[in-house]
Amino acid sequence: MTELIIEISRWAIPLVLFFIPLYGYLRGVPVYETFVAGAEDGFKVAVKIIPFLVGMLVAIGVFRASGAMDLFARLLNPVLHLIGVPGEVLPLAIMRPLSGGGALGIAAELIANYGPDSFIGRLASVMQGSTDTTFYVLTVYFGSVGVRRYRYALALGLLADISSLIAAIVICRLMFG
Amino acid sequence: MVNLIWLLMLLAGIIVAGFTGHIEVVTEASLEAAQTAVNLAFELIGLMAMWLGLLKIAEEAGLVALLARLLRPFTRYLFPEIPRDHPAIGSIIMNLSANILGLGNAATPFGLKAMQELQTLNPRPEEATPAMCTFLGLNTGCLTLIPATIIGIRAAASSTDPTIIVGPTILATGFSMIMAVAGDRFLRRFYNGRRG
């Protein structure tokens, strides 16, 4: 099982790179020219999202570096303790929807400090793997097309995040607790 | 809501830094974050170009249309307002497939492409359409089969069983996907009702 999953993730991208151009060629598509035509869009989109990224990352950076995030985590700690969640994973839970790189850093730190096979190490792994960087996705996706009013998208994204966090905690307690 | 959260993060950060006596951290962190944002965007250029190039080949070869036809029952249910053969469907499917396979880097280019396609169906370009909200909800609450990055980190930390977290991750993301679909249905009705 373990071996199989590691092999699948190693092969996924090479197989996509192998299969799509080959299939295209067999169907008579001028593969190189088509690739270049598609790739052209990459630059425009990446440049267009810069202002949105700057805005979001600056707010997150200040919130985190100032110690405000840790303070927020400490305030929430007693509540979590009541339901049996180790407070150590709280910064990860708060960081996860804000910044993918930041959350990965915290998860790696937790795994290194407590060991990958400890309860905290496993819980941090599941939390990291099961939620997404909602604010980044929202900012970048909406920013790239100029949508400014998000309707209920943020509420829905956060609902999905909170659901998977709670599910991660419950499932880890049942399986590894 | 996003305006308020943005403002609160900024103000809370500055106030805490001020009270704890290291206000200079704010200057440092904000300038550094601004630079990081640009670096991130530049890294994204290469990735975007590569995946959008492959997507174009897959489109021209009819692969995307084939996939869209196979998954039509799901997309009709989730995105009733998108016309049957609209290119947005193909990009949405490619984005969700990348998410499910844990290919985070590939998901963003497909997602941005999907948003562009969805925007062509938007009567009020400043405001998100319900289909966009559904798409973003699915994106954040997406089923993940192979959390490849974290498996790598666990293996590097010499775990005795790096992939033991795969089962729990599938269960947790399966649950959040169900919640995202149900929440989308509810919020759609609630939001439309409130606006009359």
Side-chain angles (χ1 to χ4, degrees):
Chain A
M1 178 71 180
T2 308
E3 295 292 306
L4 183 71
I5 288 170
I6 289 179
E7 282 304 300
I8 291 174
S9 29
R10 276 182 57 208
W11 280 82
I13 289 175
L15 280 180
V16 169
L17 278 172
F18 178 85
F19 183 67
I20 292 179
L22 179 67
Y23 186 83
Y25 186 76
L26 295 177
R27 294 291 303 266
V29 176
V31 279
Y32 177 68
E33 285 158 45
T34 309
F35 181 92
V36 173
E40 232 181 65
D41 265 351
F43 191 80
K44 269 178 281 174
V45 179
V47 170
K48 203 166 174 194
I49 61 177
I50 289 179
F52 300 92
L53 267 179
V54 171
M56 198 45 85
L57 292 190
V58 165
I60 292 166
V62 169
F63 184 63
R64 193 187 175 199
S66 65
M69 195 185 81
D70 290 331
L71 192 72
F72 186 51
R74 266 214 296 281
L75 288 177
L76 279 175
N77 212 351
V79 186
L80 283 186
H81 219 77
L82 278 178
I83 48 175
V85 178
E88 289 87 342
V89 298
L90 198 61
L92 175 61
I94 297 172
M95 192 57 135
R96 193 67 187 94
L98 297 177
S99 151
L104 193 62
I106 297 178
E109 233 170 75
L110 287 172
I111 289 169
N113 284 344
Y114 296 93
D117 303 312
S118 65
F119 181 70
I120 290 174
R122 285 173 173 172
L123 180 57
S125 305
V126 177
M127 282 165 61
Q128 175 68 25
S130 62
T131 56
D132 208 332
T133 318
T134 306
F135 281 89
Y136 168 82
V137 171
L138 235 66
T139 310
V140 166
Y141 283 24
F142 279 146
S144 73
V145 292
V147 165
R148 278 170 227 282
R149 274 179 309 189
Y150 290 3
R151 246 170 186 245
Y152 55 86
L154 180 61
L156 185 61
L158 290 178
L159 171 80
D161 275 338
I162 292 169
S163 315
S164 53
L165 278 177
I166 293 173
I169 291 166
V170 172
I171 293 164
C172 281
R173 284 202 72 84
L174 288 175
M175 287 184 66
F176 311 129
Chain B
M1 193 167 164
V2 81
N3 283 315
L4 189 66
I5 292 177
W6 189 79
L7 187 69
L8 283 179
M9 282 199 293
L10 210 52
L11 298 186
I14 295 169
I15 291 169
V16 170
F19 270 102
T20 52
H22 49 269
I23 190 74
E24 69 284 350
V25 167
V26 174
T27 315
E28 237 168 73
S30 54
L31 296 177
E32 199 187 301
Q35 187 59 51
T36 307
V38 176
N39 292 345
L40 207 66
F42 267 79
E43 273 167 37
L44 205 58
I45 294 176
L47 283 174
M48 292 278 311
M50 184 184 108
W51 288 110
L52 291 181
L54 274 181
L55 180 66
K56 188 89 175 169
I57 297 178
E59 264 171 11
E60 299 283 317
L63 265 177
V64 178
L66 187 75
L67 208 59
R69 213 160 35 240
L70 287 175
L71 295 172
R72 186 161 287 160
F74 298 101
T75 51
R76 298 273 349 131
Y77 172 76
L78 291 168
F79 300 99
E81 61 277 87
I82 303 180
R84 274 172 78 95
D85 288 315
H86 197 271
I89 303 266
S91 303
I92 289 174
I93 289 171
M94 296 301 280
N95 170 270
L96 294 179
S97 315
N99 269 319
I100 289 172
L101 292 175
L103 308 174
N105 284 338
T108 306
F110 295 140
L112 291 174
K113 180 92 178 154
M115 282 307 266
Q116 283 171 356
E117 304 284 5
L118 286 175
Q119 184 70 332
T120 63
L121 297 169
N122 190 352
R124 279 183 300 238
E126 291 263 294
E127 189 179 339
T129 60
M132 288 176 174
C133 294
T134 307
F135 174 55
L136 279 161
L138 279 178
N139 219 290
T140 46
C142 189
L143 181 70
T144 304
L145 294 182
I146 307 170
T149 316
I150 201 75
I151 293 175
I153 287 179
R154 292 174 57 77
S158 54
S159 164
T160 52
D161 197 351
T163 54
I164 196 169
I165 48 105
V166 169
T169 303
I170 292 174
L171 286 176
T173 52
F175 176 72
S176 69
M177 191 152 186
I178 293 170
M179 289 299 286
V181 172
D184 176 58
R185 286 286 132 142
F186 175 79
L187 285 168
R188 223 179 237 235
R189 215 163 290 161
F190 177 75
Y191 201 88
N192 287 339
R194 208 180 54 177
R195 302 182 107 208

